[in-house]
Amino acid sequence: FSGPFTDVVTTNLKLRNPSDRKVCFKVKTTAPRRYCVRPNSGVIDPGSSVIVSVMLQPFDYDPNEKSKHKFMVQTIYAPPNISDMEAVWKEAKPDELMDSKLRCVFEMPNENDKLNDIDASKPAPVLNTSKQDGPMPKPHSVSLNDTETRKLVEECKRLQAEIMKLTDENRHLRVTLALRDNGSNSLPSLLVVIAAIFIGFFLGKFIL
């Protein structure tokens, strides 16, 4: 029986009569409250077969609990006149009975099988269905990132060179302004000296 066991789980049992006589059968179980068997008894014609449905009722499955449930299929050659099936089994001698025993096995689907079923039910991703319209492959996107990185590095170097050039020009301008300031400060004194010379010259000329 394959789980999950939250609902009725049905397993079919095929009984075949390989003999040339009619055979009566009966299906028994060690846990009659847990199973529903249809049909649980009947007659199989020579060379024919019968499908028996065994329905397991819902229960709380414990994987650590080992199943002890068993089934037994009893068979006996049918008498010439079958009028009462219960009488046939009651009057049957032990050496006339044939039986086959079956042990029940409970199995839960594996987690991997569940994942495979889920993946199979999901639609295929766009990348697999249409390579042209899908996103660019990963290796190409990595090369683009490398190219952008190199461009950024070169841009940073260029900006640093411009900053250094502007710093030098600013320093040169400061020196030039300082010299101009010093020259403008000495200009009035120079003019005073020239004015004094001219005044002295004119005074001396008038006095003479």
Side-chain angles (χ1 to χ4, degrees), residues 26 76 79 83-92:
K26 179 188 288 187
I76 186 175
S83 57
D84 187 0
M85 289 293 296
E86 293 184 3
V88 172
W89 293 106
K90 287 181 180 179
E91 296 173 1

Side-chain angles (χ1 to χ4, degrees), residues 55-117:
M55 291 163 278
L56 172 63
Q57 303 305 309
F59 71 103
D60 294 331
Y61 174 70
D62 184 3
N64 297 322
E65 181 181 357
K66 188 176 181 181
S67 173
K68 296 181 180 180
H69 300 172
K70 294 179 181 180
F71 277 83
M72 182 173 67
V73 180
Q74 281 188 331
T75 56
I76 186 175
Y77 285 116
N81 296 321
I82 305 175
S83 57
D84 187 0
M85 289 293 296
E86 293 184 3
V88 172
W89 293 106
K90 287 181 180 179
E91 296 173 1
K93 297 179 181 180
D95 57 350
E96 296 177 345
L97 295 174
M98 297 168 285
D99 58 69
S100 299
K101 295 180 180 180
L102 302 172
R103 183 174 62 87
C104 295
V105 177
F106 301 144
E107 293 182 350
M108 284 292 288
N110 294 329
E111 294 298 328
N112 293 334
D113 296 339
K114 291 182 180 179
L115 292 175
N116 291 334
D117 293 340

Side-chain angles (χ1 to χ4, degrees), residues 195-208:
I197 293 173
F198 277 107
I199 292 171
F201 175 77
F202 286 115
L203 288 176
K205 187 174 182 180
F206 285 118
I207 293 171
L208 295 175

Side-chain angles (χ1 to χ4, degrees), residues 136-146:
M136 298 181 67
K138 187 174 181 181
H140 192 48
S141 62
V142 171
S143 63
L144 285 177
N145 291 336
D146 293 340

Side-chain angles (χ1 to χ4, degrees), residues 19-40:
S19 67
D20 56 355
R21 297 172 57 185
K22 288 186 177 182
V23 172
C24 299
F25 74 91
K26 179 188 288 187
V27 182
K28 296 181 177 180
T29 178
T30 57
R33 295 182 180 179
R34 301 284 293 275
Y35 300 92
C36 183
V37 182
R38 293 291 184 274
N40 60 353

